[in-house]
Amino acid sequence: MTGQGLDGFYRGGRRLLARCLVRVGGSEPLPVQGRMLAADRARFVGTVRTAADAGPDPAVTVERLRTAEGTERIALRSTAVRPLRLRVEVSLGTDLAELGAAAAGQTGAEIPAAVHATGLRWTAPGAQTAVTADPPPDDALASAGLLCWDVDLTPGSTRSIELRVLPEQPGRARVPEAAAPRGHTGPAPWGDTQAEGDDPRAEALLAAALDDLRSLLLRDPAHPGDAHLAAGVPWRCGLAPAEGLWAARMALPLGVRLAAGTLRTLARTQLTGPGPDHGRIPGALRHSGAHLPPGCTGIEATLLFPAVLAEARRWGLPERETEALLPVAERCLEWLGGAVVSGGYLADPHPQGPYRCEVQAHAHRAALLGADLLDAFGRPGAEHWRSWAAELRRRFREDFWVEDVGGGRPVAALTHDGQSIPHLGAAAAHLLDTGLLGAGAHAPGLLDKVQTEQLARLLGGPALDSGWGLRSLGAKEHGHNPFGHRSGAVRVHETAVAVSGLTAAGYEKEAGALLCGAIDAAEAFGHRLPEMYVGEQRTTGSVPLPHPAACRPAAVAAAGAVQLLTSLAGVRPDVPAGTVAVRPLRTAPLGALRFTGLRVAEQPFAVRISRMGLGMVEEAPDGLQLGV
């Protein structure tokens, strides 16, 4: 960690350590390898040449093992033929910057250090941190931020130094190290899911995705049974409503417990007082790129809630638990009914914002899947919402489509006066993602057959398909920036939505190309997908560029990897009706593939896909009728 840019160890919204540089024998180790071992551990290896090295081969290896708990173990190993004494210097510093300031590049100068116990301490208004060392340093120079050791290495020996970052609050006693929380949240709310087949990358990607999801698990202390996911590290370490619901939805093939915990947690945040916000789930504004104002994550979460509840029921959420959450879903629909304007569209942010195409897709899905819930439990209103969705489809196909020489395209948004904002981006993929209804069927799409075919062609074309996944803004659009998180970068979540929607609509060629591109990108990231990466066009021999501000691990990226892989199997359950259909991609882009440990009705489910794209269920809950 150099102290530059975003480097640092963060906790509680503060950068507790920004600089941690190591010198051995007067030199920085020559980097040899750096890689993630797990979602919360990274290993860095370097070598150091000494006076004992007669030839080109270095005799001292320096390994740095860093964890998200705030520890770093520095291990020196010697293969020299004679004893060595080496000076080890660790240079430390921090600005104690707030997370938002660090993300925006608006940090200040480093804070002077003070000697503290076996290390150093830094103090600023409202924040304090310390780094301790074991063994204690031989010298501690606060003015330079240096801890120093004279290390004796005999031939074949290893010496280690452990550093630990200790967050403190001014005026309060430090939490003893033995009692400090470690972030463990109990067992994961899913089983031992595995993938194996012709392409070993599927197994590696699924294993890394599950590891990332486990690392992001949170539990409400007042309701410890309700597990949900932090949005991502380091920038969003709490539950983000829309991202939490998307991740829970995409992870449904692993079981329904994560969705249940996320739904119950967000239900407790729903606004229930009088006024126009009654029924809305609160959320923050987020950047939407160069063409549109910030959108509201609370609107997206409010529309996602009925859809995720309905789909979780299809995957096996018990009727009792579903019915307990149904009033929350009804209030979400009530809010939608009051928020749509006279023209029938929903503004985001409400009520002054534009009418975004993906928001109308979310509203359409909420209405159709919400109607299914109302019918299932004998509640009124189902036919109203189906009629409303049908009318939305009719108007949307006219108002949100423009013809051009390329065959036409959906517009990104409409203004209040009916003007089109015509840029093409990954948000259009949501027009295909209609949601799972009964008997393994998908809800009707917002676009007609001809428009759907044209959209599939656009999603699979070079303007949007970077070769590594789906760009958030087409390469030919004004304002395109391959580093822009809403204006050209590849977002795993949107690529997964596109693959799922294209598969359901029958456009397997385009779905397979996007899926394979994302899996190729994952290989370049050690099979651990970040939230996003740079949307440069893929060329022969190239690798995807990482985005400097991407979360990794990220909930929607890890769950998106699960959806990408399980889309190959096409498992479509309807547990209340006692059926489960398997409709794999006939193109079998990864060859033969087998999933074990999936969950339907909270029971193990295993499926095999042949090289010919044929599906065979190997394990399923008793009482479920299998279909194709």
Side-chain angles (χ1 to χ4, degrees):
M1 293 187 290
T2 65
Q4 303 297 315
L6 305 178
D7 284 8
F9 172 73
Y10 297 81
R11 179 176 288 171
R14 290 275 185 173
R15 177 156 61 184
L16 301 184
L17 187 62
R19 175 166 49 87
C20 184
L21 300 174
V22 175
R23 293 174 65 88
V24 178
S27 302
E28 289 190 26
L30 178 68
V32 174
Q33 184 188 65
R35 66 188 185 97
M36 298 283 288
L37 300 179
D40 60 348
R41 298 192 304 281
R43 178 177 182 258
F44 308 92
V45 179
T47 61
V48 175
R49 293 188 57 79
T50 71
D53 299 331
D57 304 327
V60 175
T61 301
V62 181
E63 178 191 68
R64 301 175 67 176
L65 185 63
R66 187 176 298 155
T67 76
E69 293 176 352
T71 64
E72 179 165 330
R73 179 178 175 268
I74 304 167
L76 283 71
R77 298 186 180 92
S78 174
T79 58
V81 297
R82 60 184 178 85
L84 299 174
R85 166 164 279 210
L86 298 173
R87 183 75 165 177
V88 177
E89 299 174 339
V90 178
S91 174
L92 304 169
T94 187
D95 51 9
L96 287 174
E98 292 186 354
L99 189 63
Q106 300 172 351
T107 57
E110 284 193 357
I111 296 169
V115 175
H116 167 70
T118 61
L120 299 173
R121 171 186 280 170
W122 297 264
T123 302
Q128 188 169 281
T129 189
V131 173
T132 62
D134 183 20
D138 298 321
D139 296 303
L141 307 176
S143 59
L146 274 179
L147 303 179
C148 306
W149 294 259
D150 290 314
V151 175
D152 292 311
L153 287 171
T154 57
S157 67
T158 299
R159 288 286 305 276
S160 297
I161 297 167
E162 183 174 276
L163 306 176
R164 183 176 295 276
V165 183
L166 302 173
E168 300 180 352
Q169 295 183 15
R172 296 181 60 182
R174 178 175 61 82
V175 177
E177 293 184 30
R182 297 287 188 241
H184 300 308
T185 57
W190 54 78
D192 182 19
T193 307
Q194 295 182 333
E196 58 180 349
D198 289 343
D199 192 330
R201 298 177 302 171
E203 179 180 2
L205 178 58
L206 182 58
L210 296 179
D211 185 50
D212 281 2
L213 291 174
R214 278 189 291 268
S215 74
L216 294 168
L217 276 175
L218 300 173
R219 294 183 187 271
D220 184 341
H223 303 272
D226 293 343
H228 52 279
L229 295 173
V233 176
W235 311 119
R236 298 186 300 281
C237 295
L239 174 63
E243 292 183 352
L245 284 169
W246 271 115
R249 184 185 184 215
M250 292 189 292
L252 280 171
L254 307 177
V256 300
R257 303 322 312 164
L258 176 62
T262 305
L263 290 165
R264 284 195 288 263
T265 300
L266 288 175
R268 293 189 283 271
T269 72
Q270 187 179 42
L271 303 175
T272 57
D277 283 334
H278 175 82
R280 185 171 64 85
I281 295 173
L285 293 177
R286 67 172 169 218
H287 184 63
S288 295
H291 299 277
L292 292 167
C296 180
T297 62
I299 290 177
E300 189 172 353
T302 305
L303 300 176
L304 275 170
F305 193 101
V308 174
L309 179 60
E311 292 187 323
R313 178 174 175 263
R314 298 286 179 204
W315 281 90
L317 185 67
E319 298 291 87
R320 176 178 55 82
E321 295 185 46
T322 305
E323 189 170 15
L325 288 165
L326 187 55
V328 183
E330 289 180 299
R331 288 192 289 269
C332 290
L333 293 173
E334 290 171 12
W335 177 85
L336 172 60
V340 293
V341 297
S342 56
Y345 296 128
L346 177 61
D348 181 10
H350 184 266
Q352 298 86 12
Y355 309 128
R356 305 167 196 259
C357 71
E358 70 273 22
V359 172
Q360 314 318 310
H362 301 329
H364 178 257
R365 188 186 314 113
L368 288 177
L369 274 66
D372 261 21
L373 281 175
L374 296 174
D375 262 351
F377 292 93
R379 303 289 184 97
E383 285 309 311
H384 162 75
W385 284 112
R386 290 194 182 98
S387 297
W388 182 87
E391 176 62 18
L392 176 62
R393 288 196 298 276
R394 185 191 65 78
R395 286 181 286 100
F396 187 93
R397 293 171 182 180
E398 297 178 1
D399 297 343
F400 276 80
W401 190 266
V402 293
E403 298 295 340
D404 58 24
V405 295
R409 60 162 69 183
V411 300
L414 296 177
T415 62
H416 283 276
D417 59 1
Q419 296 297 310
S420 298
I421 302 175
H423 68 272
L424 181 66
H430 292 278
L431 304 182
L432 299 176
D433 178 34
T434 51
L436 185 63
L437 291 174
H442 279 81
L446 270 176
L447 302 178
D448 63 28
K449 183 177 180 180
V450 174
Q451 292 171 335
T452 299
E453 183 176 356
Q454 173 66 0
L455 177 57
R457 187 182 69 81
L458 293 171
L459 292 174
L464 282 177
D465 183 359
S466 69
W468 303 114
L470 196 66
R471 294 185 177 98
S472 53
L473 182 66
K476 297 180 180 180
E477 303 298 325
H478 173 71
H480 170 78
N481 173 8
F483 280 86
H485 71 288
R486 298 283 176 181
S487 54
V490 174
R491 300 176 65 83
V492 175
H493 160 220
E494 290 169 335
T495 299
V497 167
V499 169
S500 178
L502 288 165
T503 299
Y507 297 95
E508 294 192 3
K509 177 183 175 182
E510 293 81 1
L514 287 170
L515 184 148
C516 289
I519 290 178
D520 291 344
E523 184 176 16
F525 291 110
H527 305 289
R528 191 175 300 279
L529 280 167
E531 170 193 19
M532 59 184 168
Y533 41 91
V534 178
E536 284 192 332
Q537 186 62 42
R538 182 176 185 172
T539 58
T540 302
S542 67
V543 294
L545 294 176
H547 194 290
C551 286
R552 192 172 75 145
V556 289
V562 173
Q563 181 164 7
L564 284 169
L565 291 171
T566 56
S567 292
L568 292 164
V571 181
R572 301 184 186 180
D574 186 359
V575 172
T579 65
V580 58
V582 175
R583 299 172 186 172
L585 266 70
R586 294 165 296 178
T587 53
L590 298 186
L593 184 61
R594 178 173 180 259
F595 291 102
T596 58
L598 300 177
R599 311 285 285 187
V600 176
E602 283 307 279
Q603 298 297 316
F605 188 88
V607 61
R608 183 188 298 273
I609 303 105
S610 74
R611 296 183 183 93
M612 301 296 293
L614 301 176
M616 177 183 297
V617 176
E618 296 184 336
E619 184 179 17
D622 292 337
L624 282 187
Q625 181 180 350
L626 303 180
V628 293

